[in-house]
Amino acid sequence: MSAVSVHQLSQCITCHAWSPDHSMIALCPNNNEVHIYKMSEDKWERAHVLQKHDQIVSGIDWGSTSNKIVTVSHDRNSYVWSLEGSEWVPTLVILRLNRAALCTQWSPQENKFAVGSGAKTVCICYYEQENNWWVSKLIRKRHNSSVTSVSWHPNNILLATTSTDGKCRVFSTFIKGVDKRDSKASSSSEAKFGEQIVQLDLSYSWAFGVKWSPSGNTLAYVGHNSMIYFVDDVGPSPLAQNVALRNLPLRDVLFISEKVVIGVGYDCNPMVFAADESGIWSFVRFLVETKTVSSAPTYGSQFSEAFGKFYGQSKYGASNDGMDNSRQGGVHHNCINCILPLKEPGVASVRRFSTSGLDGKVVIWHLGNQEDLLR
Amino acid sequence: MASTLRLYSTCIRNTLEAAMCLQNFPCQEVERHNKPEVELKTSPELILNPVLICRNEAEKCLIETSINSLRISLKVKQADELENILTKKFLRFLSMRAEAFQVLRRKPVPGYDISFLITNYHCEDMQKGKLIDFIIQFMEDIDKEISELKMSVNTRGRLVAAEFLKQFI
């Protein structure tokens, strides 16, 4: 059993991000604001509220070296917030989007960030010193549907995207003046901006949650058809593996190490996947041990009583009836949609990570005594 | 008879548990809007294949899912003309008060008697398990209610006719 600490910070959390020292968390409580909570004496206090967006904030990322927060929203805007004194000051980002922005991530060197949008485009933004704003270059006409998730390769040039057309694509995002051509790297440095390196058409349903392994050799993403895909040697001849799940689909994944992946989704319980020595990936177990409860609630109520029960209980049932009606008896009671690592400096593999979900909880998991996962 | 009802509702329950995996998704066609994609049907990649579960020729259930919304349409068993009228009036009564039920659709999908529209906002506010319990309970109780109504109509008709004809004895 992994040690957990559960924090109920809101009624429903869209996404979250940690500060570089993990003392503060920025999250969106399913509205147009970003709340920053600070941990002080075992309690969470709301330190700042960032209010600039008009619609729900769909993506937040906190740069660990630059200490800047990037937020994107369904109102087609994005802001980069920097801490000046004790206030967070927004900097304008020229995104040139005509539909909602869905996801965002800082590049490993934090000189660029990527935004996936419902306009079927990906914006790569970099800072322009002369005008004090962030400008974007768009990757257009490559996606057939909304881009749901983006992930940077450790070399700061390659970007993987997933889309609701079921495909995962890898692009080169080399920008002259921002990136330096690496004479050692072979294929990625020849590619121009927006050039598609590889397109993976493995899922026949929507694809979410793409992530690179720490070395950048393996790519993992999930499909809504309850499958998770692992691709090794991304390049001209990739090796793909599918793992089919017997449960509800996943939403996001995280690489703990080169060989272990944690997936989270509609089951409200993180799932562990591992690769054995020959490189074959498979499902290991759920993180929270579940007792199989046969849920056949015996309702003897009349029709009108059923309405009253639904209206009176279901709306507020999350807090009181959580234990006996939650199918898994796990920690989260609603879909988990975001998983982030809590990296300790100097340690290669991830020992702690956090998940947030639609039940408004942020749960910090600790893999301290799971020796088989920390190989 | 009761066993087929159990099988029918178990099948619907399992399908709903798989289908009710909804997420917030802004409209791809219109900026700054958020519409239930199952009603809009403008982007075919966002809609999944509909599932039709039939208990017999008279009773069926159509479940259509999309990325942010789910539509469940039920056709209730109507054995004779009287049940036909009673079902129509009763379900129309409920549909007109759709705001109170939140997940009910004001008009049933053509070909069906009553429809539910569940969006990602409902899944965020309410528990998925309870939503599914409500739909199944609704389905099971509709039959009971309609037969109770039919029985009370018949009983009243009999009493009224008996009273009326007493004056001719």
Side-chain angles (χ1 to χ4, degrees):
Chain A
M1 180 70 171
S2 327
V4 285
S5 53
V6 183
H7 310 279
Q8 180 84 40
L9 291 176
S10 174
Q11 225 222 325
C12 181
I13 297 182
T14 318
C15 50
H16 72 285
W18 289 94
S19 64
D21 54 358
H22 307 318
S23 65
M24 296 204 279
I25 183 170
L27 52 87
C28 170
N30 212 25
N31 57 14
N32 60 339
E33 300 171 343
V34 175
H35 293 191
I36 300 185
Y37 283 83
K38 199 180 169 70
M39 175 68 124
S40 57
E41 293 143 18
D42 246 7
K43 255 184 338 121
W44 288 98
E45 296 180 347
R46 181 156 55 203
H48 303 101
V49 174
L50 310 179
Q51 274 170 322
K52 206 75 164 73
H53 288 288
D54 299 320
Q55 286 187 294
I56 186 175
V57 177
S58 47
I60 307 178
D61 200 13
W62 202 322
S64 41
T65 44
S66 58
N67 202 32
K68 286 197 209 287
I69 303 179
V70 59
T71 59
V72 294
S73 157
H74 284 180
D75 64 358
R76 312 142 56 215
N77 290 338
S78 160
Y79 291 100
V80 173
W81 304 79
S82 27
L83 189 63
E84 283 167 26
S86 63
E87 286 298 312
W88 286 92
V89 176
T91 313
L92 185 61
V93 178
I94 314 281
L95 269 186
R96 297 185 286 144
L97 275 185
N98 56 4
R99 294 289 181 273
L102 298 177
C103 53
T104 185
Q105 199 188 39
W106 281 109
S107 69
Q109 289 170 16
E110 283 164 34
N111 52 359
K112 302 188 281 191
F113 62 91
V115 178
S117 79
K120 311 177 191 180
T121 60
V122 180
C123 313
I124 313 290
C125 304
Y126 56 96
Y127 189 59
E128 227 174 57
Q129 183 70 40
E130 308 87 59
N131 298 332
N132 189 33
W133 62 26
W134 293 75
V135 254
S136 66
K137 289 190 79 154
L138 299 173
I139 301 181
R140 258 195 259 257
K141 297 205 181 103
R142 296 291 185 176
H143 298 269
N144 298 329
S145 191
S146 303
V147 180
T148 52
S149 174
V150 289
S151 179
W152 288 94
H153 188 277
N155 71 0
N156 213 53
I157 308 256
L158 293 179
L159 180 75
T161 66
T162 51
S163 165
T164 44
D165 62 2
K167 301 188 181 36
C168 172
R169 300 174 173 88
V170 179
F171 295 96
S172 158
T173 62
F174 181 86
I175 301 180
K176 248 200 296 199
V178 179
D179 294 308
K180 298 174 201 22
R181 281 224 186 270
D182 191 0
S183 52
K184 291 188 300 239
S186 52
S187 55
S188 52
S189 42
E190 266 107 54
K192 293 188 310 189
F193 178 84
E195 192 175 309
Q196 185 178 280
I197 309 286
V198 70
Q199 176 176 295
L200 302 160
D201 193 3
L202 300 169
S203 174
Y204 50 84
S205 187
W206 315 309
F208 303 111
V210 64
K211 286 276 172 12
W212 293 91
S213 67
S215 68
N217 193 40
T218 314
L219 194 60
Y221 70 99
V222 289
H224 201 75
N225 48 350
S226 280
M227 300 203 36
I228 180 169
Y229 302 97
F230 299 96
V231 185
D232 293 306
D233 299 327
V234 180
S237 54
L239 282 154
Q241 285 177 53
N242 311 351
V243 178
L245 312 168
R246 294 189 60 210
N247 312 85
L248 295 177
L250 297 175
R251 285 288 300 276
D252 205 358
V253 292
L254 174 70
F255 270 92
I256 297 284
S257 65
E258 277 299 311
K259 299 268 180 204
V260 181
V261 164
I262 308 260
V264 289
Y266 292 99
D267 276 315
C268 317
N269 202 345
M271 306 170 89
V272 182
F273 300 88
D276 56 14
E277 290 83 33
S278 53
I280 308 288
W281 289 88
S282 62
F283 169 64
V284 176
R285 61 165 188 272
F286 282 102
L287 264 192
V288 179
E289 300 306 319
T290 61
K291 311 172 278 293
T292 43
V293 176
S294 59
S295 57
T298 46
Y299 281 74
S301 55
Q302 275 288 350
F303 203 24
S304 42
E305 269 174 65
F307 291 161
K309 202 170 197 148
F310 158 68
Y311 197 52
Q313 261 198 352
S314 295
K315 223 173 154 73
Y316 314 101
S319 44
N320 46 4
D321 261 15
M323 275 332 282
D324 61 74
N325 266 6
S326 63
R327 290 153 47 234
Q328 304 279 354
V331 183
H332 279 284
H333 300 304
N334 210 333
C335 168
I336 310 176
N337 53 9
C338 190
I339 179 171
L340 288 175
L342 289 167
K343 275 214 185 77
E344 286 139 43
V347 179
S349 68
V350 175
R351 281 170 169 264
R352 289 164 68 220
F353 59 92
S354 67
T355 57
S356 76
L358 296 180
D359 53 356
K361 294 201 172 107
V362 174
V363 179
I364 302 178
W365 306 77
H366 189 76
L367 293 172
N369 35 6
Q370 317 249 1
E371 286 313 314
D372 56 335
L373 300 177
L374 292 178
R375 256 183 293 115
Chain B
M1 198 52 198
S3 60
T4 56
L5 176 63
R6 182 68 56 85
L7 282 171
Y8 183 50
S9 47
T10 316
C11 184
I12 294 184
R13 177 185 290 274
N14 291 341
T15 314
L16 284 179
E17 278 185 7
M20 213 177 283
C21 294
L22 308 172
Q23 55 179 287
N24 198 338
F25 193 78
C27 187
Q28 274 181 173
E29 307 299 318
V30 188
E31 52 175 280
R32 295 181 201 260
H33 276 238
N34 199 316
K35 300 172 197 250
E37 294 294 332
V38 75
E39 298 282 352
L40 218 55
K41 292 201 165 85
T42 47
S43 307
E45 75 269 11
L46 297 174
I47 311 170
L48 299 179
N49 290 332
V51 177
L52 182 63
I53 302 168
C54 298
R55 187 179 173 189
N56 44 44
E57 299 93 32
E59 275 187 78
K60 48 189 180 159
C61 170
L62 177 70
I63 299 177
E64 303 159 280
T65 330
S66 70
I67 192 164
N68 62 355
S69 43
L70 162 69
R71 194 160 68 179
I72 305 157
S73 311
L74 299 173
K75 182 143 189 70
V76 177
K77 172 174 60 104
Q78 289 148 57
D80 54 16
E81 271 303 316
L82 180 59
E83 271 192 19
N84 218 343
I85 298 173
L86 285 174
T87 312
K88 210 168 76 147
K89 286 202 179 299
F90 182 56
L91 292 179
R92 191 170 151 266
F93 173 82
L94 293 177
S95 305
M96 296 290 251
R97 285 146 187 84
E99 282 99 50
F101 295 112
Q102 294 181 51
V103 290
L104 212 56
R105 198 170 181 262
R106 278 191 155 261
K107 280 203 135 38
V109 168
Y112 292 86
D113 294 322
I114 191 161
S115 297
F116 296 87
L117 177 67
I118 302 180
T119 62
N120 56 290
Y121 298 112
H122 297 140
C123 291
E124 284 162 16
D125 288 336
M126 301 178 244
Q127 278 195 345
K128 179 174 150 175
K130 296 206 187 219
L131 273 172
I132 298 177
D133 287 340
F134 171 70
I135 308 253
I136 304 291
Q137 187 68 20
F138 190 98
M139 235 179 58
E140 290 174 358
D141 283 344
I142 281 228
D143 286 335
K144 249 190 285 176
E145 289 285 322
I146 300 289
S147 34
E148 259 177 49
L149 281 171
K150 181 175 173 182
M151 222 165 11
S152 65
V153 164
N154 282 336
T155 314
R156 249 185 98 188
R158 204 174 336 117
L159 287 171
V160 165
E163 276 303 312
F164 181 69
L165 293 173
K166 267 197 192 142
Q167 62 185 315
F168 298 117
I169 297 174

